[in-house]
Amino acid sequence: RQQRHSPDRRGGRKFKYSFEAIIDEVRINVKFPCRIAVSWNYGKAVAYLGDGEARTSSSKQLTNGVARFDEQLGFNAVVGFDEDTQKYHELKDPAIIQTTVEISIITDNGTSLAGFVPIDLGNLINRKDRKELFEIERCPDKAASIRMRVSYRFLSDTKPKNRVKLLGNRSDGESD
C-alpha cells in the first residue's frame, strides 16, 4: 500500500472552506470600566491558511459583565481530510499557529488579552452539534464565556482528482 503524506504527515487530501463566526456576546466579570474586542486569528503560512485575523469592527462597552456584538467574522482556510479515518483535521505544521478566538480588554491604559478559545477547524467540520457557548481559556474569570455561532461552507478541492487523473493519462505522443 502506497503511503500518502500531507504537510502534517497524515494521509489524505486538502479542501478549502469558508468559515464564519457570528459573535453574539462576551460574558466576563471585570471590576473596572472597559471595552471588549474579539478577533479570530488564523494561520501563519500563506500556502495553507492565509495570514492574519478577522477582527470585530469596533470594541463594545462591557455593561454588567456583558458585551453584546452581533458581528460576523470570516475567512477562508484549507483543512486536511484523512482518508483512513474519514475525518477532517486542521493542518498541523510548525509554521501554522492554532486557530483561536481571542478576547481583549481595552481601557484608557491600553489593551490586554483576557483569554482565548481554541478552534480546531477540522473538528468543527466533523462534529454534528453546533455548540454556541464557549469557555474562555486562560482568563482570570473562570466563568467567562463567549456566545458565537460558527458555520462553514465547502469551497473547493485543492487538488481535484480529475486534474491529476487527466495529467497522469497523457502519453508523450498526444497533443492538445
Side-chain angles (χ1 to χ4, degrees):
R1 180 175 171 182
Q2 186 180 21
Q3 193 167 2
R4 299 172 301 258
H5 293 285
S6 67
D8 67 349
R9 304 205 192 311
R10 291 189 206 188
R13 299 174 63 193
K14 293 182 281 183
F15 298 93
K16 189 172 188 177
Y17 277 83
S18 173
F19 292 90
E20 177 182 283
I22 298 174
I23 310 299
D24 291 324
E25 65 181 26
V26 173
R27 290 186 174 270
I28 186 169
N29 187 12
V30 176
K31 302 291 185 202
F32 48 86
C34 66
R35 298 182 69 77
I36 303 293
V38 177
S39 63
W40 192 347
N41 302 299
Y42 56 96
K44 278 293 183 197
V46 174
Y48 302 122
L49 295 177
D51 224 356
E53 66 183 356
R55 182 176 285 283
T56 51
S57 62
S58 63
S59 59
K60 302 296 180 184
Q61 188 66 43
L62 186 67
T63 306
N64 296 325
V66 179
R68 299 194 192 285
F69 284 88
D70 193 28
E71 277 196 54
Q72 177 179 317
L73 304 178
F75 63 91
N76 296 337
V78 175
V79 295
F81 181 75
D82 188 316
E83 293 175 351
D84 295 330
T85 64
Q86 294 293 297
K87 292 195 180 286
Y88 287 92
H89 57 88
E90 188 164 328
L91 298 176
K92 304 291 183 201
D93 185 283
I96 300 173
I97 61 168
Q98 182 180 26
T99 303
T100 59
V101 173
E102 293 183 354
I103 295 82
S104 299
I105 295 175
I106 303 167
T107 66
D108 292 339
N109 296 330
T111 302
S112 62
L113 182 66
F116 66 91
V117 176
I119 304 286
D120 184 308
L121 300 177
N123 284 343
L124 182 67
I125 297 170
N126 292 329
R127 71 172 198 240
K128 301 294 182 216
D129 66 324
R130 291 291 164 237
K131 182 178 177 181
E132 291 187 7
L133 187 63
F134 297 84
E135 177 184 309
I136 300 173
E137 296 185 10
R138 297 204 180 144
C139 182
D141 176 8
K142 299 303 177 200
S145 63
I146 182 170
R147 183 173 300 279
M148 61 184 174
R149 293 167 278 151
V150 183
S151 62
Y152 58 86
R153 183 174 46 92
F154 175 80
L155 295 177
S156 66
D157 185 337
T158 61
K159 195 173 197 179
K161 284 184 176 180
N162 300 5
R163 192 174 79 197
V164 173
K165 187 175 182 180
L166 289 173
L167 293 174
N169 286 338
R170 285 179 69 177
S171 65
D172 291 334
E174 287 183 346
S175 62
D176 290 331

